[in-house]
Amino acid sequence: MAGKTEIGNKVLTKLGQSRVSNFDTDPTASAKAINEVWDSVLLFTLQSFPWNFATVRTNLAADTNAPSWGFNYKYPLPSDFLKLLQIKDEPTYQLEGGYILTDAVAPIYIKYVSIVRDSGLLPPFFVELLSHNLAIETCERITGDLNLKQLLIAERKEIEYSAQTSDAVDNQPIETDMDDWIKVRF
């Protein structure tokens, strides 16, 4: 899997710039620009899709303090929480201030997108999308070339689709029941 320097160098290559040996220590303006937006672009890219590699299932215990009104229980979100995908048994809930508020009795079971900060754990298709998003975000600052930025933005949809498709292939197909209207069409 790719490290931060490898990903950063992919960005620089997309921008027609020279590669660097270590993104954490390199003093160039290009490396600094990428480092400054790294976390926000990583979180944005992680949150954009329910990636299999970043999906976690866990159970949560209720907080000792109940909400003052509206729901009976509140559950603290995990420290690596980024985006809620599912609560088992689908209770009514609300996300507020780092908690899930609900009337569901503890424990509740959730599936969520987690924050994956170790770039070595990112699969190749995600690395490609992340590096592309980083290139878009830093293009104007590093190159000053608005035409290149527009080209990168135009290419993003295809790269995003490819990454999401590659990720989805790992899942078992979802079978749907055919209703009478669909059966007649066959």
Side-chain angles (χ1 to χ4, degrees):
M1 301 295 171
K4 185 175 183 179
T5 297
E6 184 180 338
I7 296 168
N9 280 324
K10 285 179 75 70
V11 174
L12 293 175
T13 299
K14 289 175 184 285
L15 299 177
Q17 302 296 304
S18 299
R19 299 168 57 90
V20 300
S21 60
N22 186 329
F23 263 84
D24 292 325
T25 60
D26 194 281
T28 62
S30 298
K32 287 179 181 178
I34 292 168
N35 275 323
E36 287 174 9
V37 299
W38 181 274
D39 285 339
S40 63
V41 174
L42 173 63
L43 295 179
F44 170 81
T45 308
L46 282 167
Q47 196 173 28
S48 70
F49 188 74
W51 306 104
N52 290 325
F53 73 90
T55 299
V56 175
R57 293 172 191 251
T58 192
N59 61 344
L60 303 175
D63 191 78
T64 55
N65 299 316
S68 60
W69 63 276
F71 292 99
N72 294 322
Y73 304 99
K74 68 180 183 179
Y75 297 86
L77 295 171
S79 61
D80 66 344
F81 177 88
L82 190 57
K83 179 180 182 178
L84 184 64
L85 299 176
Q86 179 183 8
I87 300 177
K88 185 178 178 188
D89 299 328
E90 301 179 6
T92 300
Y93 70 90
Q94 181 70 41
L95 289 175
E96 288 181 8
Y99 292 91
I100 297 173
L101 307 181
T102 183
D103 290 329
V105 178
I108 63 169
Y109 298 87
I110 67 169
K111 182 167 79 168
Y112 66 98
V113 175
S114 67
I115 299 170
V116 179
R117 293 207 186 272
D118 182 349
S119 58
L121 299 176
L122 304 175
F125 59 80
F126 185 84
V127 166
E128 185 62 31
L129 179 59
L130 175 61
S131 65
H132 203 80
N133 286 343
L134 285 164
I136 291 168
E137 188 67 27
T138 59
C139 182
E140 192 173 344
R141 183 170 168 192
I142 293 173
T143 69
D145 187 344
L146 292 175
N147 290 330
L148 176 58
K149 183 175 182 177
Q150 291 305 314
L151 177 64
L152 291 167
I153 290 169
E155 292 174 341
R156 184 184 185 282
K157 201 66 165 165
E158 185 177 322
I159 292 168
E160 181 179 51
Y161 176 77
S162 178
Q164 291 173 352
T165 303
S166 294
D167 188 64
V169 168
D170 293 337
N171 292 334
Q172 180 177 357
I174 298 172
E175 300 214 12
T176 57
D177 293 331
M178 284 198 260
D179 63 16
D180 292 336
W181 189 87
I182 294 174
K183 288 178 183 175
V184 169
R185 305 271 305 163
F186 286 109

